[in-house]
Amino acid sequence: MNILKLFFSMFLIGSTLSFAQLNSGYDGPKPEVYSGAKSFVFLYTPFQSNFNPVNVASASGNYNGGTAFSDMNLFGAGFQYYVTKEIALVLGVAFGTSSETQDSMSTSTPKNETSSTSLGVALDANYHLKALYGVSPYIGVNVNFGSYSETDETTVGGTTSKIESKGTGIGAGLNFGFDWYFTEGMSLGGKYTVGFRSMSAPEVTSSSGSTSNTFKGPSRTSIGIGTVSVILNVHL
C-alpha cells in the first residue's frame, strides 16, 4: 500500500513537470480563484494515509458509564464554492446512524439493543488575498455545530432497562490558511483556527420498569489555536 501511495504522489509530480516541459511558455499552475469555482474537500497525509473525511464539529454526550463522558469528533464530507473571485464558502456535513441487536439465547440471558445518531454542520467563509505564484493565502471565519445521542436497552426476564444519553457542541473562530495549486485541478493547503468551543452538559436518563433517573455531566468551554491536517481540494 505504501508503494502505491508513493507511486501516486510521484506520478502527480511527474505529470506536472512533463506538462511544463511540453509547454515552454507555461509558468506553473495558477490558483483557480474565480466566481463559480468549486471543489470537493478531503484531508490527506502524503505517504502516510489514505484520503479522509474532513473534521466538521464535536459534540458531548458519549456516555462511558458511571459519571464519565467523552466528546465525539464528527467527520464528514466537505465542499467548497467561490461566490466571488475572492470569497469562498466551505460547507462540511457529518451524519451517522448505527444500530446493533444481540438477541437473548434464553429467558435468563439479556437481549441488548444499541443505537446512536450523530449530526454535524460547519461553514467556513474565507477571503482569498492576492495570490503568490501557485499559492492563494486567505483569512476567514468558521462556525460549527454538532450533536450526538445514544440509546442502550437491555431486556432480561421481561424487565427492560434503558440508558439514553445526548449532548451538543458549538464552535466558532478565525481562519488563517492557504491553498497551494501544485498541479492543474488539485491543491493542497492547511489552516490555523483561533476560536472557542462550547460543549453542552451531556444528559443521561436511566430507566428500569417505572423508575427513571436523569443526571447531567459537566459543560466545558475552551479557547485556543487549532490546526487542520493537510487539506486536499479536488476541483471540478
Side-chain angles (χ1 to χ4, degrees):
M1 182 62 71
N2 289 330
I3 295 176
L4 292 176
K5 295 172 189 173
L6 178 61
F7 175 79
F8 174 74
S9 300
M10 296 303 295
F11 174 78
L12 290 177
I13 296 173
S15 297
T16 302
L17 295 175
S18 298
F19 185 82
Q21 292 174 354
L22 292 174
N23 296 271
S24 58
Y26 180 73
D27 59 352
K30 292 295 186 291
E32 297 182 28
V33 180
Y34 57 86
S35 178
K38 49 190 175 291
S39 62
F40 292 114
V41 184
F42 302 86
L43 293 186
Y44 178 58
T45 305
F47 310 114
Q48 295 185 33
S49 68
N50 296 320
F51 298 122
N52 292 307
V54 294
N55 187 8
V56 175
S58 297
S60 60
N62 188 22
Y63 181 59
N64 300 319
T67 57
F69 293 88
S70 63
D71 297 336
M72 289 288 297
N73 293 319
L74 308 179
F75 297 86
F79 184 78
Q80 178 174 237
Y81 182 81
Y82 282 81
V83 294
T84 72
K85 64 179 182 179
E86 294 94 7
I87 300 175
L89 300 179
V90 184
L91 176 66
V93 178
F95 173 76
T97 182
S98 65
S99 62
E100 180 179 331
T101 300
Q102 176 64 58
D103 288 328
S104 173
M105 301 300 293
S106 67
T107 56
S108 60
T109 58
K111 175 184 178 181
N112 267 113
E113 295 179 280
T114 303
S115 62
S116 63
T117 301
S118 59
L119 175 66
V121 179
L123 180 65
D124 283 23
N126 297 322
Y127 182 85
H128 284 253
L129 307 174
K130 183 178 179 180
L132 178 62
Y133 299 103
V135 177
S136 178
Y138 61 81
I139 59 175
V141 295
N142 165 274
V143 292
N144 60 79
F145 169 81
S147 69
Y148 180 78
S149 62
E150 181 176 326
T151 300
D152 189 354
E153 188 173 280
T154 302
T155 302
V156 182
T159 300
T160 299
S161 59
K162 182 187 298 185
I163 297 177
E164 299 173 286
S165 61
K166 59 183 180 180
T168 60
I170 59 173
L174 300 177
N175 297 328
F176 302 90
F178 71 94
D179 291 325
W180 170 46
Y181 290 75
F182 64 97
T183 189
E184 302 293 339
M186 301 179 74
S187 64
L188 292 171
K191 71 176 180 178
Y192 292 108
T193 297
V194 182
F196 82 96
R197 186 174 301 280
S198 178
M199 312 301 289
S200 72
E203 184 176 293
V204 175
T205 299
S206 177
S207 60
S208 180
S210 59
T211 303
S212 179
N213 296 292
T214 299
F215 69 92
K216 291 186 176 181
S219 60
R220 297 175 304 286
T221 300
S222 60
I223 299 175
I225 299 175
T227 61
V228 173
S229 182
V230 178
I231 301 169
L232 174 66
N233 297 297
V234 179
H235 297 264
L236 306 176

